[in-house]
Amino acid sequence: MTAPGIIGAHEAGLTGCTLCGHVAPAGTRHCARCGARLHPVDLRSLQRVWAWWLAGLICYVPANLYPMLRTSTLVGTQTNTIAGGALELAEHGSWVVAAIVFIASIMIPIGKFAAIAYLSLAVARERGPGGHRQLRLYEVVDFIGRWSMIDVFVVAILSSLVQLGFVASIHPGPAAVAFAMSVAFTMLSAQSFDSRLIWRVPAVPSSAASGRAVPGEAQPADAGPKPSIS
Amino acid sequence: MCVQNASIPKAAAPGDMIACPECDALLRAVPLGPTERARCPRCGSLLVSPRVRSFLQVVALAFTALILMMAAVFFPFLGIAAHGLSHESSVIEVALAFSDGWLAPLSVAVLAVIVGLPMLRFCAIIYVLWPLANGRPAWPKARAAFRLAEGLTPWSMAEIFIVGTAVALVKIGGLATISIGPAFWAFCGLVIVTTLKNAFMSRWSIWAALERS
Ligand SMILES: [Zn+2]
Ligand SMILES: [Zn+2]
């Protein structure tokens, strides 16, 4: 799966900048080009991933148990949880919107917890460089997670707009805060995940490693793989 | 595509090499034409996007987005009427929906992700690119400003807010008469302008220009 002849910067005793791509000798603290903090490709970064992941999961429980909305109308007061809101839309026949709410508030959060856990466990097993599939999964998780905020915005718009006194009024429930925190924490968890770990070559005994990067060995100036240009 | 064996000696000048930010592949930096794009041969992520629009055009779009945001904040956003009663909300009032009791911090957070952080991001981009667009050296702390703009990208949620608005309108559409204010259209314009701006912004050429200046 790995293209032949391509090595990671960490295997050559260098650290790459995850913001701008500049390389510096390992141990350099700040990128000389963009000034960002440089992080070595290290399994210890997974600790932060797991910490945010757990915080997000803890918040996700009350987000589903408590009401998201409290609606008062002439006929009485009604509360809706996240799942209840999606079900109600489906009962009214708004299938597309029900699907959006169901995907954004239920499928994406659960899928994200599973995907981050899978990626973190997979790279921690130290088998060897991974491949395209894992990176695609990470890119999807990183891109899609913020869309779960849709439900929080819906609650905000409904509760600010529907203020018609005794006829109808909508108020936010405690689940809105718990859900927003859960989304923010899982976003931080995904951002803390270092996708370079997917291609990391596990630490090997020094005798085996010496074949990869030999200090001081002269190379022609144009050595090394080039980016594919189109 | 030419891929050669890459056992890079430690003595090699790191300035000639780049590391893929996604997968850490060590690649040789090659000069590119303005319309060329470079992808990582190992993971396929886009390393250098083509620079088809000038910095000045990106500044213009960021400035447009800033003005649209002002309109979105100050004009009426949505109105509702039913049974002779009516109510109007601005974007600020939408964010303040959580302002009573212990939900209040969520109001601050919502206001930040739909108004505050996008505006901060536009300002940072204008601050970084305005001197560069005029061929002058970058202003102080320009690198920190662009790092900030990059870090704020996932937390600017204007487009998600618009989808949320659409969902909310469907939810109450059958129960009341909805009026859509100018702020709603300003917000839609803002999302389009922001998308264009992000597409035109070549991060690689901005870092390169900041490095030179
Ligand atoms: Zn950098
Ligand atoms: Zn790559």
Side-chain angles (χ1 to χ4, degrees):
Chain A
M1 193 156 257
T2 305
I6 295 180
I7 62 163
H10 66 281
E11 296 167 73
L14 300 166
T15 303
C17 173
T18 48
L19 189 59
C20 75
H22 190 79
V23 285
T28 313
R29 301 186 72 117
H30 293 276
C31 174
R33 189 181 192 209
C34 73
R37 276 270 304 276
L38 292 178
H39 303 281
V41 186
D42 192 333
L43 280 179
R44 270 175 296 182
S45 66
L46 288 179
Q47 288 175 3
R48 282 198 319 158
V49 176
W50 284 114
W52 289 124
W53 184 87
L54 192 64
L57 193 64
I58 288 170
C59 290
Y60 192 62
V61 176
N64 281 280
L65 295 181
Y66 285 97
M68 199 80 169
L69 284 175
R70 201 180 75 242
T71 313
S72 317
T73 55
L74 293 169
V75 291
T77 302
Q78 184 199 356
T79 57
N80 271 130
T81 55
I82 292 175
L87 273 178
E88 198 185 320
L89 279 167
E91 281 166 10
H92 286 148
S94 312
W95 289 106
V96 176
V97 183
I100 291 177
V101 173
F102 182 76
I103 291 171
S105 340
I106 296 168
M107 275 176 65
I108 292 180
I110 292 175
K112 218 177 143 175
F113 286 124
I116 296 175
Y118 166 75
L119 285 170
S120 302
L121 292 172
V123 298
R125 274 196 321 226
E126 293 220 350
R127 283 265 178 76
H132 284 78
R133 269 220 316 274
Q134 285 179 346
L135 190 78
R136 288 293 162 268
L137 180 63
Y138 170 71
E139 281 173 348
V140 167
V141 163
D142 199 30
F143 170 79
I144 224 166
R146 46 206 286 282
W147 284 92
S148 296
M149 282 298 275
I150 284 180
D151 224 28
V152 176
F153 295 146
V154 170
V155 171
I157 291 160
L158 290 181
S159 5
S160 79
L161 195 58
V162 184
Q163 292 297 333
L164 299 173
F166 60 90
V167 175
S169 65
I170 294 183
H171 295 280
V177 172
F179 189 72
M181 282 168 69
S182 176
V183 174
F185 289 153
T186 40
M187 278 175 71
L188 288 167
S189 178
Q191 286 175 15
S192 308
F193 183 81
D194 187 346
S195 60
R196 299 174 301 174
L197 284 170
I198 294 171
W199 269 272
R200 187 187 61 128
V201 173
V204 280
S206 54
S207 58
S210 61
R212 289 203 165 267
V214 184
E217 185 186 314
Q219 290 279 327
D222 60 356
K226 286 188 288 189
S228 14
I229 297 157
S230 55
Chain B
M1 190 193 77
C2 158
V3 175
Q4 291 154 338
N5 193 334
S7 48
I8 305 304
K10 278 175 184 158
D16 302 335
M17 309 296 295
I18 54 171
C20 172
E22 295 291 330
C23 77
D24 207 33
L26 193 58
L27 304 166
R28 189 152 55 84
V30 284
L32 290 180
T35 58
E36 282 178 318
R37 65 180 71 223
R39 287 186 181 279
C40 173
R42 180 154 75 167
C43 73
S45 66
L46 187 64
L47 295 171
V48 184
S49 53
R51 196 191 150 185
V52 288
R53 295 292 193 278
S54 68
F55 287 159
L56 196 62
Q57 280 163 310
V58 176
V59 169
L61 285 172
F63 196 71
T64 312
L66 209 52
I67 288 171
L68 285 170
M69 182 65 94
M70 303 273 188
V73 167
F74 290 112
F75 283 109
F77 184 57
L78 292 172
I80 184 175
H83 304 284
L85 293 164
S86 67
H87 183 77
E88 261 193 2
S89 281
S90 67
V91 171
I92 301 283
E93 281 165 327
V94 168
L96 293 180
F98 303 110
S99 61
D100 49 316
W102 62 279
L103 298 178
L106 186 54
S107 271
V108 179
V110 168
L111 202 56
V113 297
I114 60 180
V115 178
L117 299 181
M119 281 179 89
L120 186 59
R121 188 161 172 266
F122 301 144
C123 292
I125 286 167
I126 294 172
Y127 181 88
V128 170
L129 291 185
W130 177 249
L132 298 181
N134 289 301
R136 282 203 284 270
W139 284 335
K141 301 274 178 202
R143 296 195 313 171
F146 193 54
R147 283 206 311 276
L148 177 75
E150 291 280 273
L152 287 177
T153 311
W155 303 97
S156 304
M157 301 190 178
E159 75 278 27
I160 301 173
F161 181 67
I162 280 296
V163 175
T165 308
V167 172
L169 291 182
V170 170
K171 275 198 167 192
I172 47 178
L175 312 169
T177 316
I178 307 287
S179 57
I180 289 173
F184 178 83
W185 301 115
F187 229 99
C188 292
L190 174 83
V191 170
I192 295 168
V193 170
T194 310
T195 311
L196 284 177
K197 176 176 65 67
N198 290 347
F200 290 167
M201 229 166 64
S202 168
R203 304 162 65 210
W204 182 267
S205 45
I206 293 174
W207 283 125
L210 285 175
E211 196 179 25
R212 281 194 303 268
S213 70

